[in-house]
Structures are given as C-alpha cells and as structure tokens.
C-alpha cells in the first residue's frame, strides 16, 4: 500500500480476555529486534498473538506497509508472511526433524522463498540433527533451534518470538543465544521478541516496547528506554545502560581490550573480536558509583567524566542517577540517599562515573 | 444335535461383517466432524449435543430400535420422506440396519476421536497456521495424524460394537436371511430351536473375536501412546 511507511509496524488492539484487558497502540521500526518487554501478565504474549492473528482483537495492524488488519479485513494467520517461535518448541511429534523443517517451506510459494533448507540447517548448526526421525530425541535447545529454523524457512517478512528461551535451562540458553545474536546481526528480518528478562533484552534488542497491565508504557530505542528514570525498568536490580562500542587497542600484558564509544572508552577483559568490530556492552546501575573529583588512588580502571542529567529518589536507600557521558551516551548509577546529600549532587553537576564492571553482550 | 454351520449361518457371519464394515465407514465420516465440533466448540448447547451423542450408551437398544421403527415407518417423518423420494422403506432392510447401527455405535466412535482432538490441543494447529497451512490443510496434515490413536480406537470399538448388536436389529430389521439376519440374531434362532451345538460354535466364535479385538486395542493403544511420548 502506498503512503504507508515500508519499514514500520503500526498496531492498535483492544481485547478483553476475561478479567484481562489489552489496550495497546504503538509503532515500531520493522528493522532489527524490537522487544516487547514487561512482567508476566502484562499482555506481551497476547499482543504478539494479536499481531500473528492467533488472537482476534479489534483494531488495526500494518506491517511493512501491508494491511494485516483493519475495519474491513482481518487476514488469517496463514496468509500473513510471518514466522512465529513459541515458548515451547512445539515441533510436530508425528513428523521427522526434516519434515518439520519442510512443513512451512513446502507451503511457501517458490517466488517468495529467500532461503534454502541446507543454508538454514548449516547456519543454525543442525546438520547432525536433520536426519533424526523423532523430534522428541532432541534436547530442549536443539528443539528450539529447529523451531526457529522451521519459522525462518517460510521466508517471513517479520519473525515473532514469544520468550523462546524461557522454557530452557541456563545451559541450553547459552547454547542458543549465539544463534539468536547471529540472527540479529546477519539476517535482515525484523524480529518482535517477547521477553521478561532484562538481560535478554539488553543483549538482543534495538528497540523496546515496555508493557504493563495490558498497556504500552514506553516505546523507543533500547538505549533510551533502559535508562529512563520515570520507568520501572530503571528500578530493576539489574537495571543499567547499554553501550554500543568499537573494539580498540589491546593490552596483551594484562589481557585487556579497550572499547571506544562516542563518550570515551572503557577497558574490559580481553575480547576475541578484531579491531574495529562493533560490540555491545552493558553497564549495570549498581556497578556505577559517582565521585565529584577524579580519584587518582582508585583501583577502578574505568572512570569517565560525566554530567548529571537526572536524579530520581525511589526510596531512602535507592536513588537512580542518569549521567550523560560525552555527547550521546548515558549511564545509570544507583546510589544511596545519604551519598546524594553528602556529595550535594544536583542536575547539571559535572562528576566522574566510576565503572566497576562492564559486561560484554555479544 | 447338529454341530456344523450351514450356508445360512455363514451368510449371517458375512452379513454381520458387511454391516459392521459399512457402519464403521459411515461412522468415520459422521463422527469425525462431530468430534471436532465437540472438541473445539464453545457454544452453550455443546453439552446437549454431547448428551444426545452419548444417549445410546445408556438407552436399552430396544428403545432406540422402537423409535427408529416409528420414525422410519410409513407414517414416520423419515419414512414419508424416503417413500416420497422413491427410496423404499428402511425398516426390515439392510440400509435400515446401517442407519440403526450408526446411531447405536455413534458414541463409541465420537468419544475416542473427540478425546484425541482434545488431547492434541490448539497449539499444533496454531503452529501449522503460522507455517502457512490453511484450515483444511491443518486438519489433514496435523490434526488427523496426531489423533491417529483415537481413530484406531474408534474404528475397533465401532466395528466390534456393531458386530455385537442385537436389540436394535431385532426391533428394526427382524430376521430376514441375507438381508437382516445377523450373527447375534442367528445365534438366538439356534438357541430357540434348541440347536445348542451350532449356537455354541457361533457364540464361542463371538467370544474369541471380541477378546482378540480388545487385546489388539490394548496393545495398539499402548504402543501408540509410547510413540507419541
């Protein structure tokens, strides 16, 4: 449809399911990974099901300039060019692994096919599993990889993932995460990713739609939403900022690598990525302390000049401070109310952010 | 005392098998959509339909046969219709027996299939729809294969139950050799005529047949359950 932006999702849904009411309206870029984030019961899965057409809500939905639902029509799920990965792999038990993969592929018109079976199989590391007869013989992580591949093989224009890691144990999660990150980096398919884990979202998402009680409470670029003091996200134990940085020089003597970003640089335990590669790191609010003067006698390597951009007191022992680092980067810092008063911190004050630890995300 | 089976007895055996096969075939076509509807519908009158389907389980076969006789008789609703369409009358004909048997064995076919559809749940069908399968496609490529154990149970039960039918046949079909005289009626005739030897032979065969059927059911459903786990 002309006049509709090509790379965007516009959705508006109203749905009453027993006691629960969903009433959402949002637009998100249909590029990269958009996370639908919220506590359980916030309606994120229901929203995803509405987008897939598995749940019939009143409203409208435009995806990539195509009308999937409006007042006049409501495309059935099988006519929407989407891939859907459920919480549990949900492989067909009566079909072999290969037949599971071919199920969607064979129903996709040849002209719409963008990927080949062999390609996806190799790409998702399934070569040794494809000839297994019974999908029940696969491990949880393997099953979910088959499910993701099966969805990809329909050459979807958008991939919907409903907490694909939540049914997996930690080991399986670690096994499958690299594949999802690869998906993010190499495949040009927009992804809508439902999650209640801040860690997963910080790792994978570019854009974040935060939900609560069936409503969208915030919607914007990941970096911005994660550090907004007025949102409940800033209050999580593992709240923090995400920094996109470039791999810089190595310090082989101490096994350290420098990461450069617009607001400065951070030293981090040696990374494998080559010079100039883009990486994502996460700095938790609880790992950032504030000093009003540069401290020469500190064991902390990463001290960044910063400017206080916002302060929000959540409780007597919990104050969240938003710090501008350089032109476009922000950090969150969690301090106590006493420190706030002792240091006389106010918005606009120039300070030093002492970063105790930096976690590499990809 | 005669101890052998004459051609009339073999005819009764053949007729019984024919009736059971035809009935089972019809039942599959009727019970499958009915079971699907019962498994997925949320209509308020679903309970009433389920009860109607289950009615033959509790009704004496003679009651069912009696009402069918009235319904299909010359003054009955169905009877007038079949006469008007020059189809002849259903009572005391093989076709009438099929109608009676289908109704009589309906719950035995519907319930296992319905249970299988319910056990499959909605998820596999939702998955199929996200993989671009339309509703008929989903039904044939996912719902049917996943409900296979239910279908096997339904086929075996419906077939066996029809073989063992007596009351409905007697009310509706009577005792016409080659047309409505099935095995159970044949045994009854032999007993009436004090031909206990032949009755023994036929009745013993029925016992053996029923036992083998249930044994098969036990093993196949057991095996199928293991496969689906």
């Amino acid at each position: 449809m002309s006049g509709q932006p090509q790379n965007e999702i516009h959705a508006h849904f109203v749905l009453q399911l027993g006691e629960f009411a969903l009433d959402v309206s949002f637009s998100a870029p249909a590029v990269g990974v958009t996370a639908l984030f919220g506590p359980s019961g916030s309606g994120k899965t229901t929203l995803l099901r509405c987008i897939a057409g598995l749940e019939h809500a009143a409203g409208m939905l435009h995806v990539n300039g195509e009308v999937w639902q409006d007042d006049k029509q409501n495309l059935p799920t099988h006519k929407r060019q989407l891939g859907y990965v459920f919480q549990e792999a949900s492989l067909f038990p009566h079909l072999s692994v290969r037949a599971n993969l071919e199920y969607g592929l064979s129903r996709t018109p040849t002209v719409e096919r963008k990927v080949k079976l062999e390609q996806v199989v190799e790409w998702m590391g399934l070569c040794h599993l494809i000839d297994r007869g019974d999908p029940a013989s696969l491990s949880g992580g393997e099953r979910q990889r088959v499910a993701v591949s099966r969805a990809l093989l329909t050459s979807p224009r958008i991939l919907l993932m409903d907490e694909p890691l939540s049914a997996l144990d930690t080991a399986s999660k670690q096994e499958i995460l690299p594949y999802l990150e690869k998906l993010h980096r190499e495949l040009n398919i927009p992804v809508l990713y439902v999650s209640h884990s801040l860690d997963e979202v910080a790792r994978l998402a570019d854009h974040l739609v935060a939900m609560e009680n069936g409503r969208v409470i915030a919607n914007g670029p990941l970096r911005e939403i994660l550090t907004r003091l007025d949102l409940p996200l800033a209050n999580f134990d593992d709240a923090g900022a995400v920094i996109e940085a470039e791999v810089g020089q190595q310090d082989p003597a101490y096994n350290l690598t420098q990461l450069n970003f617009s607001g400065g640089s951070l030293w981090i335990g040696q990374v494998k990525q080559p010079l100039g590669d883009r990486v994502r790191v996460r700095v938790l609010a609880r790992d950032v302390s504030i000093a009003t003067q540069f401290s020469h006698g500190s064991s902390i390597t990463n001290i960044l000049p910063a400017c206080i951009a916002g302060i929000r007191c959540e409780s007597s022992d919990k104050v969240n401070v938003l710090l501008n680092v350089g032109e476009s980067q922000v950090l969150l810092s969690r301090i106590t109310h006493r420190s706030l008063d002792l240091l006389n911190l106010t918005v606009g004050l120039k300070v030093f952010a002492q970063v105790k630890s930096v976690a590499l995300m990809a | 005392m005669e101890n052998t089976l004459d051609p009339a007895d073999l005819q009764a055996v053949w007729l019984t098998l024919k009736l059971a096969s035809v009935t089972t075939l019809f039942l599959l076509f009727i019970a499958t959509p009915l079971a699907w509807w019962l498994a997925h519908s949320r209509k308020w009158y679903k309970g009433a339909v389920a009860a109607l389907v289950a009615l033959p389980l509790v009704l004496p076969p003679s009651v069912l046969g009696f009402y069918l006789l009235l319904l299909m008789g010359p003054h009955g609703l169905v009877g007038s219709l079949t006469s008007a369409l020059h189809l002849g009358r259903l009572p005391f004909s093989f076709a009438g027996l099929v109608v009676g048997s289908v109704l009589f064995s309906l719950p035995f076919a519907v319930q296992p299939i319905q249970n299988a559809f319910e056990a499959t749940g909605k998820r596999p069908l939702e998955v199929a729809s996200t993989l671009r399968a339309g509703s008929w496609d989903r039904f044939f490529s996912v719902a049917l294969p996943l409900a296979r154990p239910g279908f096997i149970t339904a086929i075996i039960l419906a077939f066996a139950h029809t073989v063992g039918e007596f009351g409905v046949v007697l009310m509706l079909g009577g005792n016409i050799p080659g047309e409505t005289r099935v095995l159970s009626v044949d045994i009854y005739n032999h007993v009436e005529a004090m031909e206990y030897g032949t009755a023994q032979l036929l009745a013993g065969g029925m016992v053996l047949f029923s036992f083998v059927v249930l044994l098969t059911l036990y093993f196949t459903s057991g095996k199928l359950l293991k496969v689906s786990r």
Side-chain angles (χ1 to χ4, degrees):
Chain A
M1 226 174 88
S2 60
Q4 287 293 333
Q6 281 300 308
N7 291 311
E8 276 187 31
I9 302 164
H10 299 279
H12 171 64
F13 292 116
V14 180
L15 179 68
Q16 189 78 37
L17 281 176
E19 293 282 286
F20 176 77
L22 183 79
D23 185 352
V24 292
S25 234
F26 77 97
S27 297
V31 280
V33 178
T34 297
L36 302 178
F37 178 81
S40 50
S42 58
K44 47 199 193 310
T45 295
T46 308
L47 173 57
L48 198 71
R49 289 174 58 83
C50 288
I51 292 170
L54 294 172
E55 213 75 63
H56 296 292
M60 66 90 183
L61 174 64
H62 296 184
V63 176
N64 288 332
E66 230 177 77
V67 180
W68 282 7
Q69 184 183 339
D70 62 12
D71 295 339
K72 279 169 256 143
Q73 60 165 341
N74 192 349
L75 278 187
T77 303
H78 69 275
K79 297 224 171 110
R80 303 182 181 198
Q81 284 186 44
L82 54 82
Y84 200 110
V85 179
F86 291 82
Q87 223 169 64
E88 322 79 37
S90 309
L91 300 182
F92 296 126
H94 64 295
L95 298 178
S96 68
V97 172
R98 181 183 288 275
N100 263 283
L101 291 171
E102 283 168 347
Y103 189 93
L105 179 68
S106 64
R107 285 165 174 80
T108 305
T110 324
V111 287
E112 285 174 22
R113 292 183 198 173
K114 289 183 207 134
V115 282
K116 288 203 170 75
L117 183 78
E118 297 73 26
Q119 242 176 319
V120 174
V121 163
E122 201 198 316
W123 203 67
M124 291 297 281
L126 298 174
C127 296
H128 61 298
L129 303 173
I130 176 121
D131 290 314
R132 291 277 187 91
D134 185 4
S137 69
L138 306 183
S139 74
E142 290 168 343
R143 276 203 291 271
Q144 200 56 287
R145 262 151 61 202
V146 174
V148 173
S149 310
R150 182 175 65 175
L152 286 178
L153 280 165
T154 62
S155 302
R157 300 188 58 182
I158 185 166
L159 185 61
L160 311 177
M161 301 181 102
D162 182 12
E163 308 211 35
L165 300 182
S166 69
L168 303 177
D169 55 49
T170 317
S172 308
K173 262 185 208 164
Q174 295 308 322
E175 171 205 314
I176 196 171
L177 259 170
Y179 291 101
L180 297 187
E181 282 163 353
K182 204 162 144 186
L183 196 89
H184 180 186
R185 284 198 312 272
E186 294 175 19
L187 212 64
N188 198 17
I189 296 180
V191 178
L192 272 183
Y193 191 100
V194 164
S195 180
H196 66 267
S197 151
L198 206 50
D199 185 59
E200 263 173 53
V201 168
R203 227 171 223 267
L204 299 168
D206 306 305
H207 192 95
L208 209 130
V209 177
M211 294 187 66
E212 209 171 71
N213 297 325
R215 287 164 188 279
V216 171
I217 53 166
N219 175 13
L222 176 81
R223 274 165 47 180
E224 184 193 314
I225 302 291
L226 280 185
T227 53
R228 256 177 58 183
L229 295 180
D230 59 328
L231 296 176
L233 276 82
N235 250 332
F236 280 46
D237 266 348
D238 55 350
V242 158
I243 299 176
E244 304 274 355
E246 204 169 84
V247 178
Q249 59 169 314
Q250 304 273 352
D251 182 350
Y254 291 102
N255 283 337
L256 291 173
T257 305
Q258 192 175 35
L259 302 178
N260 300 314
F261 61 97
S262 59
S265 63
L266 292 165
W267 285 96
I268 182 175
Q270 201 163 36
V271 303
K272 283 171 279 171
Q273 282 86 343
L275 190 77
D277 245 32
R278 291 205 70 78
V279 291
R280 183 182 277 198
V281 292
R282 187 158 170 234
V283 179
L284 297 185
R286 59 167 191 247
D287 291 332
V288 178
S289 57
I290 295 174
T292 47
Q293 291 167 340
F294 188 83
S295 159
H296 289 283
S298 170
S299 68
I300 291 176
T301 326
N302 294 314
I303 301 178
L304 301 162
C307 178
I308 295 181
I311 297 173
R312 188 174 165 112
C313 305
E314 296 294 342
S315 61
S316 60
D317 61 339
K318 198 171 173 190
V319 175
N320 293 320
V321 181
L322 182 68
L323 300 165
N324 277 338
V325 182
E327 290 294 305
S328 58
Q329 188 59 54
V330 291
L331 285 177
L332 269 188
S333 168
R334 178 150 317 147
I335 60 173
T336 60
H337 210 287
R338 192 169 70 169
S339 303
L340 178 75
D341 291 342
L342 279 176
L343 295 174
N344 242 330
L345 301 180
T346 49
V347 172
L349 192 70
K350 300 250 186 286
V351 292
F352 292 93
Q354 304 182 318
V355 180
K356 218 166 98 189
S357 102
V358 179
L360 185 74
M361 302 265 81
Chain B
M1 208 155 68
E2 187 84 38
N3 237 345
T4 51
L5 301 178
D6 59 28
D9 293 321
L10 293 177
Q11 195 179 40
V13 170
W14 163 242
L15 190 70
T16 306
L17 293 178
K18 191 171 122 188
L19 177 66
S21 308
V22 174
T23 300
T24 306
L25 197 68
F26 272 103
L27 268 176
L28 279 182
F29 283 104
I30 295 165
T32 306
L34 200 55
W36 180 263
W37 185 82
L38 285 170
H40 292 105
S41 172
R42 285 189 198 159
K43 292 277 193 302
W44 60 270
Y45 51 84
K46 177 177 150 175
V49 175
L52 264 177
V53 170
L55 217 48
L57 285 177
V58 290
L59 277 184
S62 51
V63 171
L64 188 71
F66 173 62
Y67 280 117
L68 281 175
L69 190 63
L70 289 187
L71 206 63
M72 303 195 297
H75 304 296
L77 205 66
V78 180
S80 351
L81 192 74
T82 49
S83 315
L85 294 171
H86 300 288
L87 290 172
R89 294 218 183 90
L90 285 172
F92 306 104
S93 74
F94 182 75
L97 277 199
V98 171
V99 173
S101 308
V102 163
L103 283 176
F104 187 49
S105 295
L106 194 60
F108 292 85
V110 170
Q111 284 176 359
I113 299 176
Q114 182 188 344
N115 289 342
F117 283 151
E118 278 167 359
T120 304
K122 279 200 170 146
R123 177 51 57 84
L125 298 167
E126 288 185 348
V127 172
S129 70
T130 67
L131 294 169
R132 301 197 175 200
S135 44
W136 285 106
D137 188 1
R138 292 200 286 277
F139 179 75
F140 284 108
S141 66
V142 175
L144 275 192
L146 287 181
R148 197 176 60 169
F151 276 94
I152 293 177
T153 307
I155 288 170
I156 294 176
L157 282 181
F159 189 91
H161 193 240
T162 308
V163 168
E165 180 184 327
F166 179 65
V168 177
V169 178
L170 210 61
M171 292 299 280
L172 200 61
N175 204 348
I176 307 163
E179 181 72 23
T180 62
R181 184 187 286 170
V182 293
L183 202 53
S184 54
V185 178
D186 195 37
I187 294 172
Y188 182 75
N189 291 339
H190 284 300
V191 174
E192 285 277 89
M194 305 290 275
E195 294 160 0
Y196 278 25
T198 314
Q200 188 87 259
L201 214 57
L202 292 168
M206 286 281 265
V207 171
L208 193 69
F209 168 78
S210 307
F211 181 73
V212 168
V213 162
L214 291 176
L215 203 65
T216 316
L217 192 66
Y218 179 81
F219 280 115
T220 48
S221 61
K223 252 183 216 155
L224 287 164
L225 275 179
K226 264 177 220 151
V227 166
S228 65
R229 259 177 212 150

